[in-house]
Amino acid sequence: MCSIIGYYGNSNAAPILVKGLRRMEYRGYDSVGIATKSNNQILVKKGVGKVDEVNNMFHLDKLPGNVGLGHTRWATHGKVTDANAHPHSSNSGKIAIVHNGIIENFSELKAELQKEGYTFQSETDSEVIANLLQKNFDDTSDIKSSIRATISRLNGHYAFVAMFENGTLAAARYHEPLIVGVGEDDYFLSSDVLGFIERTDDAIYLDNGNFALIDPSGLKLYNFEGELIKYNITKVSKEFADAYKGDYAHYTLKEISEQPDTVLKAGENTQDAITQTIDFIKHAKTVYITGSGTSYNAALVAKYLMSKYAKIKIEPIISSELPHDPESIEQNSILIAISQSGESADVLEAVRIAKNSNAKVLSIVNLLTSSLVQESSLVIGMNCGPEIGVAATKSFTSQLAILYKIADGLCNGCLKPDFDKASKAISKILSNHSKIKKIARELKEVSDIYILGRGINYPIASEAALKLKELTYIHAEGIPGGELKHGPLALMDSNVYVVILNPDDSTYNDTLTSANEIKARGAKIIGISDKKSDIYDHWIEIPKVDESLYPLIEIVPIQLLAYYCALEKDADPDYPRNLAKSVTVR
Ligand code: F6R
């Protein structure tokens, strides 16, 4: 959730660190800081706000020195304050650290260190790493030994970078991402290749349970037992360099607008894995499908697709719920894990639980360098390019496109999803900005929005509600159409807006009846449909497509609506408050 970065080389570290942090801000963004080493001194600057705000205030990028580290924070332990922002220095000021993850036994370690006279400036769990390192370094005067001794005391999951007063950088990885960038005469340490992609495309993906030391003798990697290990340098795909907004005002708008292309490219480079997945599912006794947030909504669509078209039952599981019901996974089953980032801690935990029951893990992932990929027997790549906006948009429709392909294979081609037609339909919807903007202006003042959908359109109603909540901070709720009369109708009055997902499919007439019931209670209705009706106060027209494809296209106008409504409310659509792109904590 936080991002960490380190630089070791001949250039000025500070501007490189600030630039890298700016590109990783999607991971977490309530406070920022960097530390550099100059004249045998460690200098630290940090504060609350986004990278550019803090940099404008404190001129982080002007710190001198050729070695440094930096951090953007997404608060877990301790409020959003300057003191809790990273880097954290050890009591002597001779070691600074940045950390991503959670140190579960920090209270115990803190109490132990306090007994020995160490003091703490922050409420964070991370600060114990700085003082523990100092204690171990003071004991041994050896950096490698102090890293090993420190790691041996930490419980939880972490990636951290530490800078010592002599300029040595050390970094360790345990269940949080950490990548080394290898430049011509410099090194980078980063949570994401975006942190250094402008400087080098040579990367080493640190394995779990490894640590790195960088000093004048170069880079060395060790396992936690202290044995030197060999490493491979990987060429990072240049596609990561696409992570620019270009002419778009926001990443979110750019990513929504890319969908006519991304639905065509979904799974393109991993067609064999799709074929094998189909085969595995055909022969499996039990198939589960899991994800969090948007990815779970895609899993719900899969359930409907597979039962309706392929006559195969798959059971959707919310990843974060599985730890509370681990016995529900039958032995030797299949678990399909869906995750854009491949780093969601809840999804990784669900995978671990399923593996304990000998389940085979197949995954649908966008980031092919992620932890989920390493945990899976088979991987289908979403292939939608980097998604920087915190709210998932294009990754959702890519997930759906892949699930359509799987369902089609399972029903021996009964679906024949016409992605060209879907792509054109999305382009048409995207050309309707002005109407959607107008509705967004009206929604700005509203405090409750309900989204109604039946059958396969219900998971889209849930996804629509998630987008509206995240981007506009308006309370939004997806309702299965038939459930209206079992409770939600009590909420309908003239202050409420209801979005009706009403494509011309088998749910059309029943959903129109629900719309009438709502209208009779005075609520305003936004109809998303290819068929006009007088009942809608606002009609957002979607093109006619094959019945099975409506879920893929009908989410797009709501993504736009949520985006424009965020702008109306002066909310930043790329970085919604309190959220982070990769949720690596449970
Ligand atoms: C919603 C959103 C989140 C993610 C969820 C899972 O817009 O972005 O709900 O979908 O955190 O993330 P991944 O797919 O990376 O596992």
Side-chain angles (χ1 to χ4, degrees):
M1 320 268 304
C2 307
S3 54
I4 59 178
I5 190 161
Y7 176 79
Y8 187 102
N10 299 322
S11 308
N12 276 343
I16 295 172
L17 296 170
V18 170
K19 208 164 186 184
L21 288 176
R22 199 180 283 128
R23 296 197 74 181
M24 291 195 290
E25 211 172 17
Y26 71 92
R27 294 176 58 86
Y29 40 84
D30 54 44
S31 41
V32 188
I34 70 168
T36 57
K37 180 236 151 188
S38 173
N39 293 331
N40 287 328
Q41 243 201 317
I42 290 182
L43 312 169
V44 180
K45 284 197 173 178
K46 56 186 183 178
V48 169
K50 295 173 71 173
V51 175
D52 284 337
E53 289 163 4
V54 178
N55 193 36
N56 288 341
M57 269 185 297
F58 300 118
H59 309 292
L60 308 185
D61 59 353
K62 299 286 183 291
L63 276 179
N66 307 126
V67 182
L69 41 75
H71 188 269
T72 57
R73 177 168 189 251
W74 185 85
T76 55
H77 290 62
K79 290 188 270 313
V80 180
T81 61
D82 290 352
N84 288 337
H86 297 218
H88 294 290
S89 302
S90 67
N91 279 182
S92 64
K94 292 182 176 181
I95 300 172
I97 65 103
V98 286
H99 164 230
N100 171 35
I102 288 181
I103 306 302
E104 284 162 4
N105 59 337
F106 85 99
S107 310
E108 175 194 325
L109 295 171
K110 192 168 175 175
E112 218 176 282
L113 288 161
Q114 277 168 332
K115 262 194 203 147
E116 296 190 30
Y118 287 89
T119 56
F120 288 82
Q121 319 304 319
S122 78
E123 303 160 302
T124 65
D125 53 337
S126 312
E127 198 181 355
V128 296
I129 303 176
N131 279 331
L132 199 55
L133 268 176
Q134 186 193 314
K135 173 179 145 57
N136 292 323
F137 183 68
D138 290 347
D139 285 351
T140 59
S141 302
D142 179 62
I143 291 180
K144 185 181 160 198
S145 314
S146 67
I147 293 287
R148 285 195 61 213
T150 301
I151 285 166
S152 72
R153 296 298 317 280
L154 302 179
N155 293 343
H157 47 100
Y158 51 83
F160 69 79
V161 181
M163 179 169 61
F164 290 76
E165 194 191 33
N166 70 354
T168 300
L169 278 190
R173 173 177 183 216
Y174 191 64
H175 291 294
E176 291 292 348
L178 189 60
I179 305 160
V180 183
V182 183
E184 257 173 39
D185 52 8
D186 45 14
Y187 294 101
F188 306 81
L189 293 156
S190 181
S191 303
D192 187 320
V193 291
L194 287 177
F196 56 76
I197 189 69
E198 281 176 9
R199 309 269 309 188
T200 178
D201 57 357
D202 283 334
I204 303 164
Y205 289 87
L206 231 64
D207 279 338
N208 223 11
N210 284 352
F211 67 95
L213 291 182
I214 308 173
D215 61 19
S217 68
L219 167 76
K220 291 195 187 66
L221 298 190
Y222 301 92
N223 60 23
F224 280 5
E225 284 70 51
E227 295 156 345
L228 196 64
I229 50 170
K230 291 206 175 108
Y231 53 79
N232 294 321
I233 296 184
T234 313
K235 276 272 174 230
V236 173
S237 165
K238 283 286 185 196
E239 72 161 16
F240 285 102
D242 288 351
Y244 289 109
K245 281 194 293 225
D247 292 335
Y248 289 92
H250 296 97
Y251 285 114
T252 306
L253 183 59
K254 173 174 181 264
E255 288 155 10
I256 293 172
S257 307
E258 283 170 352
Q259 291 175 109
D261 282 337
T262 51
V263 293
L264 293 175
K265 287 188 189 152
E268 199 175 59
N269 302 330
T270 41
Q271 188 53 48
D272 281 357
I274 296 181
T275 311
Q276 284 181 60
T277 300
I278 292 165
D279 200 49
F280 279 129
I281 297 177
K282 269 186 185 161
H283 296 101
K285 201 168 117 239
T286 323
V287 182
Y288 306 98
I289 186 160
T290 195
S292 300
T294 291
S295 298
Y296 176 70
N297 289 331
L300 277 180
V301 174
K303 170 189 171 296
Y304 283 91
L305 276 180
M306 304 299 168
S307 64
K308 180 161 184 186
Y309 297 103
K311 314 291 175 224
I312 286 179
K313 295 250 161 303
I314 62 172
E315 194 181 318
I317 300 175
I318 297 174
S319 297
S320 59
E321 284 294 309
L322 193 56
H324 309 293
D325 189 19
E327 285 79 24
S328 63
I329 301 286
E330 277 182 30
Q331 285 289 323
N332 304 316
S333 51
I334 283 185
L335 177 80
I336 304 173
I338 309 182
S339 174
Q340 186 284 131
S341 62
E343 297 293 351
S344 293
D346 289 323
V347 179
L348 293 173
E349 180 63 6
V351 162
R352 197 190 58 73
I353 292 169
K355 280 181 158 181
N356 279 348
S357 297
N358 300 314
K360 186 184 276 300
V361 175
L362 318 177
S363 59
I364 301 176
V365 192
N366 196 29
L367 271 183
L368 294 180
T369 50
S370 61
S371 308
L372 180 58
V373 169
Q374 288 163 27
E375 297 293 331
S376 309
S377 305
L378 205 58
V379 176
I380 301 171
M382 291 175 199
N383 198 32
C384 64
E387 188 178 68
I388 304 296
V390 165
T393 52
K394 63 176 177 175
S395 64
F396 179 65
T397 45
S398 294
Q399 291 165 352
L400 294 194
I402 289 167
L403 292 165
Y404 277 101
K405 288 185 182 181
I406 296 173
D408 189 48
L410 287 169
C411 70
N412 301 318
C414 76
L415 263 174
K416 293 193 183 49
D418 186 343
F419 291 119
D420 279 331
K421 198 160 176 190
S423 163
K424 287 194 183 103
I426 294 173
S427 297
K428 184 101 194 282
I429 293 167
L430 290 172
S431 64
N432 204 4
H433 281 234
S434 53
K435 175 136 197 204
I436 293 176
K437 262 188 202 166
K438 209 170 126 216
I439 304 172
R441 233 167 278 143
E442 221 174 289
L443 281 188
K444 177 187 170 188
E445 310 297 342
V446 169
S447 55
D448 301 284
I449 304 175
Y450 298 93
I451 305 95
L452 207 92
R454 270 190 157 78
I456 199 166
N457 303 300
Y458 167 59
I460 304 299
S462 293
E463 174 58 13
L466 187 57
K467 287 296 86 92
L468 286 161
K469 271 179 232 176
E470 281 177 292
L471 294 183
T472 70
Y473 314 145
I474 297 173
H475 164 245
E477 206 177 310
I479 302 174
E483 287 297 290
L484 191 64
K485 55 190 175 300
H486 296 292
L489 210 47
L491 299 167
M492 300 301 149
D493 63 23
S494 57
N495 299 317
V496 162
Y497 273 71
V498 184
V499 178
I500 306 277
L501 295 175
N502 203 14
D504 187 14
D505 63 8
S506 59
T507 67
Y508 181 80
N509 287 328
D510 285 345
T511 303
L512 204 61
T513 303
S514 305
N516 272 301
E517 290 166 2
I518 292 165
K519 184 85 175 186
R521 273 80 187 174
K524 294 255 175 5
I525 295 189
I526 301 168
I528 297 195
S529 180
D530 40 342
K531 277 171 105 172
K532 193 170 193 293
S533 164
D534 289 343
I535 199 156
Y536 306 140
D537 294 282
H538 296 290
W539 176 40
I540 301 180
E541 186 178 3
I542 54 171
K544 192 163 190 55
V545 289
D546 295 342
E547 168 154 354
S548 65
L549 281 178
Y550 283 116
L552 187 63
I553 67 163
E554 68 195 359
I555 188 61
V556 178
I558 307 193
Q559 293 170 343
L560 272 186
L561 190 62
Y563 168 77
Y564 281 118
C565 194
L567 296 190
E568 288 294 331
K569 297 191 76 174
D570 277 337
D572 184 338
D574 284 345
Y575 303 111
R577 68 185 181 203
N578 305 339
L579 299 178
K581 185 73 180 159
S582 301
V583 186
T584 59
V585 288
R586 285 183 53 215

